[in-house]
Amino acid sequence: MPLKINLHHLETRNVVLRGELPLAELDLDVRDEMIHVVSPVEYDIEIEKLDDALLVQGELHVELECECVRCLKKFTHALDLENWTLHLPLAGDDAVSIDNDSVDLTPFVREDMLLEFPQHPLCRPDCGGLKTKPGKTAKIADKAEPKPSAWTELNKLKL
Ligand SMILES: [Zn+2]
């Protein structure tokens, strides 16, 4: 079920909606291969009908599986929109589309979640990435056997 609100239900009082929006409904077009949505979107919202608009306020929560841009480690990132607010005009040029007296909030959830996706996901803020620390690298380099270079490979061929 998409996240829809019937305008008739709003005529006398506010409507509180709590539930989960399945990933299939959300149909996220995730352009970033580093991020995958791994849970339904949990919502807990209150909808109020103003004179010529809908006011939606509440919380959205979703779990993301991200790949760290530095060390490529996968990690889970909880995305919380704690003060999510939507103001949807019911009249005028910017009016929200109404279908069978209902307004579909799904596109707005999708849009606002995407905006909150981490731009450069990091497993932790100070992730050092794939490279080991400078001190360590030096020690390892001392002990390690010299790698065969292209020249030594060429020499082997000559023999
Ligand atoms: Zn990392």
PDB file of all heavy atoms in Angstrom, residues 41-70:
ATOM      1  N   VAL A  41      10.395   1.860   4.954  1.00  0.00           N
ATOM      2  CA  VAL A  41      10.422   3.158   5.633  1.00  0.00           C
ATOM      3  C   VAL A  41       9.351   3.158   6.722  1.00  0.00           C
ATOM      4  O   VAL A  41       8.177   2.936   6.449  1.00  0.00           O
ATOM      5  CB  VAL A  41      10.159   4.307   4.643  1.00  0.00           C
ATOM      6  CG1 VAL A  41      10.099   5.636   5.381  1.00  0.00           C
ATOM      7  CG2 VAL A  41      11.236   4.346   3.572  1.00  0.00           C
ATOM      8  N   GLU A  42       9.770   3.370   7.955  1.00  0.00           N
ATOM      9  CA  GLU A  42       8.803   3.493   9.054  1.00  0.00           C
ATOM     10  C   GLU A  42       8.364   4.939   9.137  1.00  0.00           C
ATOM     11  O   GLU A  42       9.187   5.848   9.094  1.00  0.00           O
ATOM     12  CB  GLU A  42       9.454   3.092  10.383  1.00  0.00           C
ATOM     13  CG  GLU A  42       9.722   1.621  10.510  1.00  0.00           C
ATOM     14  CD  GLU A  42      10.553   1.326  11.750  1.00  0.00           C
ATOM     15  OE1 GLU A  42      10.394   2.035  12.755  1.00  0.00           O
ATOM     16  OE2 GLU A  42      11.378   0.408  11.683  1.00  0.00           O
ATOM     17  N   TYR A  43       7.056   5.124   9.249  1.00  0.00           N
ATOM     18  CA  TYR A  43       6.562   6.491   9.356  1.00  0.00           C
ATOM     19  C   TYR A  43       5.630   6.630  10.544  1.00  0.00           C
ATOM     20  O   TYR A  43       4.947   5.693  10.940  1.00  0.00           O
ATOM     21  CB  TYR A  43       5.884   6.946   8.062  1.00  0.00           C
ATOM     22  CG  TYR A  43       4.748   6.064   7.604  1.00  0.00           C
ATOM     23  CD1 TYR A  43       3.457   6.223   8.114  1.00  0.00           C
ATOM     24  CD2 TYR A  43       4.977   5.072   6.669  1.00  0.00           C
ATOM     25  CE1 TYR A  43       2.414   5.400   7.697  1.00  0.00           C
ATOM     26  CE2 TYR A  43       3.952   4.253   6.250  1.00  0.00           C
ATOM     27  CZ  TYR A  43       2.668   4.424   6.767  1.00  0.00           C
ATOM     28  OH  TYR A  43       1.665   3.603   6.359  1.00  0.00           O
ATOM     29  N   ASP A  44       5.655   7.802  11.095  1.00  0.00           N
ATOM     30  CA  ASP A  44       4.797   8.142  12.233  1.00  0.00           C
ATOM     31  C   ASP A  44       4.473   9.616  12.031  1.00  0.00           C
ATOM     32  O   ASP A  44       5.239  10.489  12.419  1.00  0.00           O
ATOM     33  CB  ASP A  44       5.565   7.891  13.538  1.00  0.00           C
ATOM     34  CG  ASP A  44       4.691   8.175  14.755  1.00  0.00           C
ATOM     35  OD1 ASP A  44       3.590   8.740  14.587  1.00  0.00           O
ATOM     36  OD2 ASP A  44       5.122   7.846  15.871  1.00  0.00           O
ATOM     37  N   ILE A  45       3.360   9.865  11.368  1.00  0.00           N
ATOM     38  CA  ILE A  45       3.081  11.231  10.937  1.00  0.00           C
ATOM     39  C   ILE A  45       1.664  11.658  11.303  1.00  0.00           C
ATOM     40  O   ILE A  45       0.762  10.829  11.454  1.00  0.00           O
ATOM     41  CB  ILE A  45       3.279  11.392   9.393  1.00  0.00           C
ATOM     42  CG1 ILE A  45       2.423  10.378   8.632  1.00  0.00           C
ATOM     43  CG2 ILE A  45       4.742  11.262   9.023  1.00  0.00           C
ATOM     44  CD1 ILE A  45       2.459  10.550   7.129  1.00  0.00           C
ATOM     45  N   GLU A  46       1.517  12.947  11.426  1.00  0.00           N
ATOM     46  CA  GLU A  46       0.204  13.515  11.666  1.00  0.00           C
ATOM     47  C   GLU A  46      -0.108  14.465  10.508  1.00  0.00           C
ATOM     48  O   GLU A  46       0.738  15.257  10.099  1.00  0.00           O
ATOM     49  CB  GLU A  46       0.178  14.273  12.992  1.00  0.00           C
ATOM     50  CG  GLU A  46      -1.188  14.863  13.276  1.00  0.00           C
ATOM     51  CD  GLU A  46      -1.356  15.337  14.715  1.00  0.00           C
ATOM     52  OE1 GLU A  46      -0.396  15.211  15.503  1.00  0.00           O
ATOM     53  OE2 GLU A  46      -2.434  15.848  15.034  1.00  0.00           O
ATOM     54  N   ILE A  47      -1.335  14.346  10.000  1.00  0.00           N
ATOM     55  CA  ILE A  47      -1.724  15.164   8.858  1.00  0.00           C
ATOM     56  C   ILE A  47      -2.873  16.073   9.269  1.00  0.00           C
ATOM     57  O   ILE A  47      -3.857  15.623   9.865  1.00  0.00           O
ATOM     58  CB  ILE A  47      -2.127  14.281   7.654  1.00  0.00           C
ATOM     59  CG1 ILE A  47      -0.955  13.360   7.284  1.00  0.00           C
ATOM     60  CG2 ILE A  47      -2.502  15.140   6.452  1.00  0.00           C
ATOM     61  CD1 ILE A  47      -1.375  12.019   6.803  1.00  0.00           C
ATOM     62  N   GLU A  48      -2.701  17.322   8.934  1.00  0.00           N
ATOM     63  CA  GLU A  48      -3.702  18.319   9.306  1.00  0.00           C
ATOM     64  C   GLU A  48      -4.157  19.032   8.037  1.00  0.00           C
ATOM     65  O   GLU A  48      -3.355  19.337   7.167  1.00  0.00           O
ATOM     66  CB  GLU A  48      -3.044  19.330  10.266  1.00  0.00           C
ATOM     67  CG  GLU A  48      -3.986  20.357  10.811  1.00  0.00           C
ATOM     68  CD  GLU A  48      -3.264  21.358  11.719  1.00  0.00           C
ATOM     69  OE1 GLU A  48      -2.077  21.136  12.041  1.00  0.00           O
ATOM     70  OE2 GLU A  48      -3.880  22.372  12.071  1.00  0.00           O
ATOM     71  N   LYS A  49      -5.450  19.260   7.934  1.00  0.00           N
ATOM     72  CA  LYS A  49      -5.959  19.995   6.780  1.00  0.00           C
ATOM     73  C   LYS A  49      -6.092  21.464   7.149  1.00  0.00           C
ATOM     74  O   LYS A  49      -6.828  21.824   8.071  1.00  0.00           O
ATOM     75  CB  LYS A  49      -7.302  19.432   6.326  1.00  0.00           C
ATOM     76  CG  LYS A  49      -7.749  19.988   4.988  1.00  0.00           C
ATOM     77  CD  LYS A  49      -8.929  19.196   4.453  1.00  0.00           C
ATOM     78  CE  LYS A  49      -9.391  19.751   3.112  1.00  0.00           C
ATOM     79  NZ  LYS A  49      -9.934  21.112   3.197  1.00  0.00           N
ATOM     80  N   LEU A  50      -5.327  22.280   6.425  1.00  0.00           N
ATOM     81  CA  LEU A  50      -5.443  23.719   6.607  1.00  0.00           C
ATOM     82  C   LEU A  50      -6.473  24.229   5.603  1.00  0.00           C
ATOM     83  O   LEU A  50      -7.103  23.438   4.912  1.00  0.00           O
ATOM     84  CB  LEU A  50      -4.087  24.386   6.388  1.00  0.00           C
ATOM     85  CG  LEU A  50      -2.910  23.795   7.185  1.00  0.00           C
ATOM     86  CD1 LEU A  50      -1.612  24.472   6.795  1.00  0.00           C
ATOM     87  CD2 LEU A  50      -3.159  23.905   8.682  1.00  0.00           C
ATOM     88  N   ASP A  51      -6.645  25.519   5.510  1.00  0.00           N
ATOM     89  CA  ASP A  51      -7.652  26.078   4.606  1.00  0.00           C
ATOM     90  C   ASP A  51      -7.491  25.571   3.172  1.00  0.00           C
ATOM     91  O   ASP A  51      -8.436  25.091   2.567  1.00  0.00           O
ATOM     92  CB  ASP A  51      -7.577  27.610   4.620  1.00  0.00           C
ATOM     93  CG  ASP A  51      -8.192  28.142   5.902  1.00  0.00           C
ATOM     94  OD1 ASP A  51      -8.956  27.375   6.539  1.00  0.00           O
ATOM     95  OD2 ASP A  51      -7.902  29.283   6.280  1.00  0.00           O
ATOM     96  N   ASP A  52      -6.280  25.701   2.654  1.00  0.00           N
ATOM     97  CA  ASP A  52      -6.084  25.273   1.263  1.00  0.00           C
ATOM     98  C   ASP A  52      -4.778  24.497   1.104  1.00  0.00           C
ATOM     99  O   ASP A  52      -4.104  24.586   0.088  1.00  0.00           O
ATOM    100  CB  ASP A  52      -6.105  26.483   0.325  1.00  0.00           C
ATOM    101  CG  ASP A  52      -5.112  27.538   0.779  1.00  0.00           C
ATOM    102  OD1 ASP A  52      -4.418  27.290   1.787  1.00  0.00           O
ATOM    103  OD2 ASP A  52      -5.024  28.594   0.124  1.00  0.00           O
ATOM    104  N   ALA A  53      -4.450  23.764   2.134  1.00  0.00           N
ATOM    105  CA  ALA A  53      -3.219  22.977   2.082  1.00  0.00           C
ATOM    106  C   ALA A  53      -3.273  21.845   3.101  1.00  0.00           C
ATOM    107  O   ALA A  53      -4.106  21.838   4.001  1.00  0.00           O
ATOM    108  CB  ALA A  53      -2.015  23.866   2.364  1.00  0.00           C
ATOM    109  N   LEU A  54      -2.362  20.891   2.909  1.00  0.00           N
ATOM    110  CA  LEU A  54      -2.190  19.832   3.899  1.00  0.00           C
ATOM    111  C   LEU A  54      -0.878  20.080   4.615  1.00  0.00           C
ATOM    112  O   LEU A  54       0.128  20.431   3.992  1.00  0.00           O
ATOM    113  CB  LEU A  54      -2.116  18.459   3.222  1.00  0.00           C
ATOM    114  CG  LEU A  54      -3.369  17.864   2.604  1.00  0.00           C
ATOM    115  CD1 LEU A  54      -3.053  16.458   2.100  1.00  0.00           C
ATOM    116  CD2 LEU A  54      -4.516  17.839   3.605  1.00  0.00           C
ATOM    117  N   LEU A  55      -0.901  19.893   5.918  1.00  0.00           N
ATOM    118  CA  LEU A  55       0.317  19.994   6.695  1.00  0.00           C
ATOM    119  C   LEU A  55       0.629  18.611   7.256  1.00  0.00           C
ATOM    120  O   LEU A  55      -0.195  18.016   7.943  1.00  0.00           O
ATOM    121  CB  LEU A  55       0.144  21.006   7.830  1.00  0.00           C
ATOM    122  CG  LEU A  55       1.383  21.260   8.685  1.00  0.00           C
ATOM    123  CD1 LEU A  55       2.502  21.889   7.861  1.00  0.00           C
ATOM    124  CD2 LEU A  55       1.032  22.132   9.877  1.00  0.00           C
ATOM    125  N   VAL A  56       1.796  18.108   6.886  1.00  0.00           N
ATOM    126  CA  VAL A  56       2.227  16.787   7.341  1.00  0.00           C
ATOM    127  C   VAL A  56       3.447  16.973   8.230  1.00  0.00           C
ATOM    128  O   VAL A  56       4.400  17.653   7.858  1.00  0.00           O
ATOM    129  CB  VAL A  56       2.607  15.880   6.139  1.00  0.00           C
ATOM    130  CG1 VAL A  56       2.997  14.492   6.614  1.00  0.00           C
ATOM    131  CG2 VAL A  56       1.462  15.799   5.149  1.00  0.00           C
ATOM    132  N   GLN A  57       3.385  16.392   9.405  1.00  0.00           N
ATOM    133  CA  GLN A  57       4.505  16.499  10.333  1.00  0.00           C
ATOM    134  C   GLN A  57       4.747  15.158  10.989  1.00  0.00           C
ATOM    135  O   GLN A  57       3.787  14.478  11.371  1.00  0.00           O
ATOM    136  CB  GLN A  57       4.215  17.535  11.423  1.00  0.00           C
ATOM    137  CG  GLN A  57       4.270  18.962  10.916  1.00  0.00           C
ATOM    138  CD  GLN A  57       3.899  19.940  12.002  1.00  0.00           C
ATOM    139  OE1 GLN A  57       2.781  19.926  12.488  1.00  0.00           O
ATOM    140  NE2 GLN A  57       4.845  20.772  12.387  1.00  0.00           N
ATOM    141  N   GLY A  58       6.000  14.794  11.130  1.00  0.00           N
ATOM    142  CA  GLY A  58       6.264  13.530  11.797  1.00  0.00           C
ATOM    143  C   GLY A  58       7.670  13.044  11.581  1.00  0.00           C
ATOM    144  O   GLY A  58       8.576  13.819  11.301  1.00  0.00           O
ATOM    145  N   GLU A  59       7.805  11.724  11.706  1.00  0.00           N
ATOM    146  CA  GLU A  59       9.119  11.110  11.640  1.00  0.00           C
ATOM    147  C   GLU A  59       9.160  10.039  10.569  1.00  0.00           C
ATOM    148  O   GLU A  59       8.194   9.322  10.369  1.00  0.00           O
ATOM    149  CB  GLU A  59       9.456  10.438  12.981  1.00  0.00           C
ATOM    150  CG  GLU A  59       9.615  11.411  14.105  1.00  0.00           C
ATOM    151  CD  GLU A  59       9.886  10.702  15.427  1.00  0.00           C
ATOM    152  OE1 GLU A  59      10.242   9.498  15.410  1.00  0.00           O
ATOM    153  OE2 GLU A  59       9.735  11.356  16.460  1.00  0.00           O
ATOM    154  N   LEU A  60      10.308   9.956   9.924  1.00  0.00           N
ATOM    155  CA  LEU A  60      10.573   8.876   8.980  1.00  0.00           C
ATOM    156  C   LEU A  60      11.859   8.198   9.409  1.00  0.00           C
ATOM    157  O   LEU A  60      12.784   8.840   9.899  1.00  0.00           O
ATOM    158  CB  LEU A  60      10.757   9.428   7.557  1.00  0.00           C
ATOM    159  CG  LEU A  60       9.599  10.176   6.925  1.00  0.00           C
ATOM    160  CD1 LEU A  60      10.029  10.718   5.569  1.00  0.00           C
ATOM    161  CD2 LEU A  60       8.382   9.285   6.781  1.00  0.00           C
ATOM    162  N   HIS A  61      11.882   6.876   9.227  1.00  0.00           N
ATOM    163  CA  HIS A  61      13.081   6.133   9.599  1.00  0.00           C
ATOM    164  C   HIS A  61      13.318   5.028   8.582  1.00  0.00           C
ATOM    165  O   HIS A  61      12.392   4.334   8.179  1.00  0.00           O
ATOM    166  CB  HIS A  61      12.900   5.535  11.003  1.00  0.00           C
ATOM    167  CG  HIS A  61      14.008   4.612  11.391  1.00  0.00           C
ATOM    168  ND1 HIS A  61      15.161   5.062  11.988  1.00  0.00           N
ATOM    169  CD2 HIS A  61      14.160   3.275  11.248  1.00  0.00           C
ATOM    170  CE1 HIS A  61      15.973   4.028  12.202  1.00  0.00           C
ATOM    171  NE2 HIS A  61      15.385   2.936  11.766  1.00  0.00           N
ATOM    172  N   VAL A  62      14.561   4.867   8.196  1.00  0.00           N
ATOM    173  CA  VAL A  62      14.904   3.793   7.264  1.00  0.00           C
ATOM    174  C   VAL A  62      16.339   3.351   7.530  1.00  0.00           C
ATOM    175  O   VAL A  62      17.154   4.121   8.036  1.00  0.00           O
ATOM    176  CB  VAL A  62      14.713   4.251   5.791  1.00  0.00           C
ATOM    177  CG1 VAL A  62      15.810   5.194   5.343  1.00  0.00           C
ATOM    178  CG2 VAL A  62      14.606   3.060   4.850  1.00  0.00           C
ATOM    179  N   GLU A  63      16.607   2.079   7.231  1.00  0.00           N
ATOM    180  CA  GLU A  63      17.969   1.567   7.377  1.00  0.00           C
ATOM    181  C   GLU A  63      18.631   1.511   6.000  1.00  0.00           C
ATOM    182  O   GLU A  63      18.050   0.998   5.046  1.00  0.00           O
ATOM    183  CB  GLU A  63      17.948   0.142   7.947  1.00  0.00           C
ATOM    184  CG  GLU A  63      17.295   0.007   9.292  1.00  0.00           C
ATOM    185  CD  GLU A  63      18.260   0.283  10.434  1.00  0.00           C
ATOM    186  OE1 GLU A  63      19.468   0.042  10.263  1.00  0.00           O
ATOM    187  OE2 GLU A  63      17.798   0.753  11.491  1.00  0.00           O
ATOM    188  N   LEU A  64      19.837   2.014   5.957  1.00  0.00           N
ATOM    189  CA  LEU A  64      20.590   1.980   4.707  1.00  0.00           C
ATOM    190  C   LEU A  64      21.815   1.093   4.881  1.00  0.00           C
ATOM    191  O   LEU A  64      22.424   1.084   5.950  1.00  0.00           O
ATOM    192  CB  LEU A  64      21.083   3.384   4.338  1.00  0.00           C
ATOM    193  CG  LEU A  64      20.054   4.484   4.204  1.00  0.00           C
ATOM    194  CD1 LEU A  64      20.767   5.793   3.903  1.00  0.00           C
ATOM    195  CD2 LEU A  64      19.052   4.167   3.123  1.00  0.00           C
ATOM    196  N   GLU A  65      22.128   0.362   3.837  1.00  0.00           N
ATOM    197  CA  GLU A  65      23.407  -0.323   3.839  1.00  0.00           C
ATOM    198  C   GLU A  65      24.335   0.460   2.920  1.00  0.00           C
ATOM    199  O   GLU A  65      24.058   0.616   1.733  1.00  0.00           O
ATOM    200  CB  GLU A  65      23.260  -1.759   3.351  1.00  0.00           C
ATOM    201  CG  GLU A  65      24.539  -2.549   3.551  1.00  0.00           C
ATOM    202  CD  GLU A  65      24.432  -3.955   2.984  1.00  0.00           C
ATOM    203  OE1 GLU A  65      24.572  -4.101   1.765  1.00  0.00           O
ATOM    204  OE2 GLU A  65      24.192  -4.884   3.749  1.00  0.00           O
ATOM    205  N   CYS A  66      25.385   0.972   3.499  1.00  0.00           N
ATOM    206  CA  CYS A  66      26.307   1.816   2.742  1.00  0.00           C
ATOM    207  C   CYS A  66      27.645   1.111   2.586  1.00  0.00           C
ATOM    208  O   CYS A  66      27.997   0.237   3.363  1.00  0.00           O
ATOM    209  CB  CYS A  66      26.566   3.136   3.461  1.00  0.00           C
ATOM    210  SG  CYS A  66      25.086   4.052   3.852  1.00  0.00           S
ATOM    211  N   GLU A  67      28.363   1.554   1.592  1.00  0.00           N
ATOM    212  CA  GLU A  67      29.731   1.079   1.420  1.00  0.00           C
ATOM    213  C   GLU A  67      30.629   2.279   1.653  1.00  0.00           C
ATOM    214  O   GLU A  67      30.456   3.325   1.021  1.00  0.00           O
ATOM    215  CB  GLU A  67      29.893   0.531   0.008  1.00  0.00           C
ATOM    216  CG  GLU A  67      31.067  -0.393  -0.150  1.00  0.00           C
ATOM    217  CD  GLU A  67      31.034  -1.086  -1.500  1.00  0.00           C
ATOM    218  OE1 GLU A  67      30.101  -1.877  -1.747  1.00  0.00           O
ATOM    219  OE2 GLU A  67      31.917  -0.801  -2.311  1.00  0.00           O
ATOM    220  N   CYS A  68      31.562   2.130   2.584  1.00  0.00           N
ATOM    221  CA  CYS A  68      32.444   3.248   2.932  1.00  0.00           C
ATOM    222  C   CYS A  68      33.257   3.665   1.703  1.00  0.00           C
ATOM    223  O   CYS A  68      33.869   2.828   1.045  1.00  0.00           O
ATOM    224  CB  CYS A  68      33.361   2.831   4.070  1.00  0.00           C
ATOM    225  SG  CYS A  68      34.561   4.078   4.525  1.00  0.00           S
ATOM    226  N   VAL A  69      33.255   4.950   1.399  1.00  0.00           N
ATOM    227  CA  VAL A  69      33.960   5.415   0.200  1.00  0.00           C
ATOM    228  C   VAL A  69      35.477   5.318   0.368  1.00  0.00           C
ATOM    229  O   VAL A  69      36.207   5.361  -0.600  1.00  0.00           O
ATOM    230  CB  VAL A  69      33.574   6.867  -0.184  1.00  0.00           C
ATOM    231  CG1 VAL A  69      32.144   6.936  -0.672  1.00  0.00           C
ATOM    232  CG2 VAL A  69      33.802   7.837   0.961  1.00  0.00           C
ATOM    233  N   ARG A  70      35.929   5.179   1.618  1.00  0.00           N
ATOM    234  CA  ARG A  70      37.376   5.120   1.835  1.00  0.00           C
ATOM    235  C   ARG A  70      37.904   3.694   1.930  1.00  0.00           C
ATOM    236  O   ARG A  70      38.899   3.352   1.322  1.00  0.00           O
ATOM    237  CB  ARG A  70      37.750   5.882   3.106  1.00  0.00           C
ATOM    238  CG  ARG A  70      37.616   7.372   2.907  1.00  0.00           C
ATOM    239  CD  ARG A  70      38.262   8.122   4.044  1.00  0.00           C
ATOM    240  NE  ARG A  70      37.874   9.521   4.028  1.00  0.00           N
ATOM    241  CZ  ARG A  70      37.812  10.284   5.098  1.00  0.00           C
ATOM    242  NH1 ARG A  70      38.115   9.782   6.276  1.00  0.00           N
ATOM    243  NH2 ARG A  70      37.455  11.542   5.007  1.00  0.00           N
TER     244      ARG A  70
END
